[in-house]
Amino acid sequence: MTSERLSAILEEPIFEAKDWSAEIVPNATLADLDELGVAKARVMFKKVHASKIPSEEVDAWSVEELLCNSGIMIDGKLTRAAIIFLGEPVSVFKLRPAVVEVTWTLRDEHQEVVDYEHFTAPFILTVDQILSKIRNLTMRELPGGTLFPDTMKQYDDYTIREALHNAIAPQNYTLQQRINFVENPGYLYYENGSSFIPGTLQKALATKGHNVISGMNVFVVQW
């Protein structure tokens, strides 16, 4: 790579301050939303706000009221976030050219692909679907001084969920990249497309790694 090309890459602006996910989808309606996704959103809203809003009050809200109070419907119009997290699979076409997809891949010890599956909206349900694909083995350890083994899962469910949420939420969908979740023998690998917060790669490097989202975020959960 020439020094001129390297300089151009380092100075290229690759981050926009505007919240892409909060933008309105002009042709989206409530018919574009998945009923199970909306029901899950209502359950989660009640759980998060249990100390402030009575469950009965949330149950009495219309779908519009639920979405408005969740911040993903503005002035009666659906945002891109509403489609990503609650939309029917076919509704993601209204977000083109953005790619709304998580790919789960299973690899063997030789890094050969054994199986794979693509997941799309509603992402509020996608995490559970991906978790059901993981071979989370039960490990047994026999500590000294006892005949009864301790049992544990190979991977902690909370850790896997957190990593997946951290891959989905900050994903830069305008980069038209899938979120990749790769299951390998002994470790899980997550990869998403994102941007440099300071604005350019040069400025990102100048922060020495503090509060920076890399151009391709990578998460690894290892046993």
Side-chain angles (χ1 to χ4, degrees):
M1 182 183 296
T2 65
S3 59
E4 291 80 6
R5 177 57 182 156
L6 177 60
S7 178
I9 292 174
L10 292 176
E11 292 300 329
E12 181 179 358
I14 51 177
F15 176 79
E16 296 182 5
K18 185 167 62 175
D19 185 355
W20 179 89
S21 65
E23 294 293 310
I24 298 297
V25 183
N27 57 342
T29 69
L30 293 180
D32 290 306
L33 303 183
D34 181 87
E35 290 186 8
L36 290 179
V38 173
K40 178 68 175 291
R42 193 182 296 273
V43 170
M44 297 308 297
F45 188 97
K46 290 190 293 184
K47 183 177 180 180
V48 172
H49 299 280
S51 62
K52 299 179 180 179
I53 305 175
S55 177
E56 297 78 11
E57 181 179 339
V58 178
D59 285 334
W61 288 347
S62 64
V63 173
E64 292 90 335
E65 289 173 317
L66 173 66
L67 301 182
C68 287
N69 289 323
S70 300
I72 58 176
M73 192 174 201
I74 302 173
D75 296 330
K77 298 179 180 180
L78 295 175
T79 63
R80 288 166 173 161
I83 299 298
I84 291 171
F85 288 101
L86 305 180
E88 289 276 5
V90 295
S91 68
V92 300
F93 294 117
K94 295 186 177 182
L95 302 180
R96 284 181 170 176
V99 174
V100 182
E101 193 167 271
V102 178
T103 297
W104 164 80
T105 304
L106 175 64
R107 293 181 180 272
D108 61 19
E109 62 274 12
H110 304 295
Q111 289 297 293
E112 297 292 334
V113 175
V114 177
D115 195 6
Y116 70 92
E117 187 171 343
H118 301 301
F119 299 87
T120 186
F123 272 177
I124 196 171
L125 303 179
T126 294
V127 172
D128 287 335
Q129 294 169 357
I130 294 176
L131 283 174
S132 70
K133 304 292 293 187
I134 300 172
R135 299 177 302 174
N136 198 1
L137 304 178
T138 299
M139 315 298 291
R140 294 174 175 82
E141 181 181 4
L142 188 64
T146 178
L147 296 177
F148 302 96
D150 290 334
T151 61
M152 67 189 77
K153 288 294 185 181
Q154 185 177 10
Y155 304 111
D156 176 63
D157 281 352
Y158 176 84
T159 302
I160 299 174
R161 286 178 182 275
E162 188 69 12
L164 272 171
H165 292 159
N166 288 336
I168 291 171
Q171 164 85 336
N172 186 343
Y173 294 92
T174 64
L175 295 179
Q176 303 173 39
Q177 297 176 3
R178 292 189 182 100
I179 297 169
N180 290 302
F181 169 48
V182 184
E183 182 179 351
N184 299 275
Y187 69 97
L188 308 175
Y189 176 93
Y190 308 73
E191 178 184 80
N192 76 334
S194 193
S195 302
F196 293 93
I197 288 178
T200 68
L201 179 56
Q202 187 69 43
K203 292 179 181 179
L205 294 174
T207 65
K208 298 181 179 179
H210 297 296
N211 300 317
V212 173
I213 296 178
S214 65
M216 181 61 73
N217 284 331
V218 173
F219 311 85
V220 177
V221 177
Q222 188 166 6
W223 165 250

